[in-house]
Amino acid sequence: MRMENKVVLVTASTRGIGAAIVEACAKEGAHVYMAARNLELAKQKAEELNQKGYQVSYVYNDASKKETYSSMVEEVVEKEGRIDVLINNFGTSNPQKDLDIKNTDYAEFIQTVDINLASVFLSCQAVIPHMEKNGGGSIVNISSIGGLVPDISQISYGTSKAAINYLTKLIAVQTARANIRCNAVLPGMTATDAVKENLSDNFKEFFLKHTPIKRMGTPEDIANTVLYFASDDSAYTTGQIVDVSGGFGLATPIYGDMILMKDKR
């Protein structure tokens, strides 16, 4: 019960990685608040988890309505008196419009960067004063391997995630003396519904060719790393940018071709 009696707030938490994080923290004894735009779905998910004996509630947050970042924090604090852990899981892009430097519209670029950065900046800005009053806390930002390894497309998404990586370090430095930790987890290709719906089989096959652990990650793989940073197991760890990507980007750039040649022998 590593999270016993802790109050946890998770954004974008009704499906995929967010849902796995909610369940992982709840299993460890936390009272988890699911921040979501679709409250009916959040209510359904919370009820399912509560039937398992967990403590899960929900609160409204819509990334397109920036005022809801402060309102979700205030609502949880009003009900619980504190927030011990904030997990910023929201992130978005439009693969059909988020292309390379020559073909991405500037307005589209700014819109993606703005909404992704705001999801971290505004929620942290709202929660940090409460964590300071309560003697500390943990913030975990869900970034992406795309924020470390440049791609031939998705320039907006990659830029926003790279900025979140740096913002994570800045927050860690600026809040450490208040006993607040801030770390980031960077998923690689993860088997969520969004990945299955938006990425072609050819792309997934090509991506995995360059992943030493030759499989997609699971939402639970990501949640387990988040749980480490959320819990007191990482009490002396802050400002870390940890990729959970099966080793993608770690090997020589010709890794995939070399493996293919070796397999053909």
Side-chain angles (χ1 to χ4, degrees):
M1 301 295 283
R2 287 179 285 171
M3 302 290 289
E4 190 170 14
N5 298 322
K6 290 187 182 294
V7 177
V8 178
L9 175 61
V10 186
T11 64
S13 53
T14 57
R15 56 189 290 190
I17 291 172
I21 291 169
V22 169
E23 185 160 3
C25 291
K27 279 182 178 179
E28 292 288 337
H31 184 173
V32 185
Y33 276 80
M34 305 172 65
R37 180 176 59 182
N38 186 336
L39 289 183
E40 283 300 315
L41 179 58
K43 179 181 178 181
Q44 175 190 331
K45 297 288 186 180
E47 289 175 349
E48 290 172 359
L49 291 170
N50 289 334
Q51 288 174 3
K52 296 181 179 181
Y54 304 144
Q55 274 190 294
V56 180
S57 304
Y58 54 93
V59 64
Y60 181 67
N61 171 246
D62 183 341
S64 68
K65 299 176 180 177
K66 294 179 180 177
E67 68 276 10
T68 65
Y69 284 105
S70 58
S71 64
M72 73 175 181
V73 168
E74 295 305 321
E75 183 175 341
V76 175
V77 170
E78 183 178 345
K79 291 178 178 178
E80 303 297 332
R82 70 187 196 279
I83 294 175
D84 300 298
V85 179
L86 169 66
I87 300 169
N88 291 312
N89 179 57
F90 176 83
T92 188
S93 77
N94 184 341
Q96 283 70 46
K97 294 183 178 181
D98 189 4
L99 306 171
D100 60 14
I101 185 65
K102 295 189 295 182
N103 298 297
T104 300
D105 181 74
Y106 180 69
E108 177 72 24
F109 175 83
I110 289 298
Q111 181 180 8
T112 299
V113 171
D114 177 65
I115 196 169
N116 285 345
L117 277 179
S119 71
V120 173
F121 181 90
L122 293 175
S123 57
C124 288
Q125 191 174 62
V127 83
I128 284 169
H130 296 290
M131 287 184 171
E132 288 176 335
K133 290 178 184 177
N134 293 320
S138 175
I139 298 169
V140 187
N141 298 323
I142 307 303
S143 177
S144 169
I145 191 66
L148 283 184
V149 182
D151 201 346
I152 61 172
S153 65
Q154 289 199 292
I155 188 170
S156 313
Y157 183 77
T159 298
S160 70
K161 292 301 186 178
I164 286 170
N165 294 343
Y166 188 66
L167 183 59
T168 296
K169 294 184 177 184
L170 284 174
I171 293 169
V173 169
Q174 294 175 6
T175 62
R177 297 187 75 82
N179 196 34
I180 298 170
R181 299 178 293 107
C182 187
N183 297 283
V185 174
L186 285 56
M189 183 182 287
T190 307
T192 63
D193 290 340
V195 166
K196 295 172 185 175
E197 293 165 4
N198 294 313
L199 298 180
S200 68
D201 289 339
N202 285 340
F203 179 85
K204 286 181 278 191
E205 182 180 353
F206 187 78
F207 192 98
L208 292 177
K209 187 176 77 168
H210 294 275
T211 304
I213 299 179
K214 196 178 178 181
R215 67 171 177 84
M216 281 195 281
T218 66
E220 291 72 24
D221 288 327
I222 313 304
N224 287 336
T225 304
V226 172
L227 186 60
Y228 166 73
F229 284 128
S231 74
D232 292 337
D233 286 354
S234 59
Y236 199 55
T237 303
T238 195
Q240 297 305 298
I241 311 298
V242 176
D243 67 275
V244 185
S245 62
F248 180 82
L250 182 64
T252 170
I254 60 173
Y255 170 84
D257 294 326
M258 292 172 66
I259 289 296
L260 185 62
M261 290 172 59
K262 184 177 179 180
D263 289 345
K264 287 181 176 179
R265 291 175 185 171

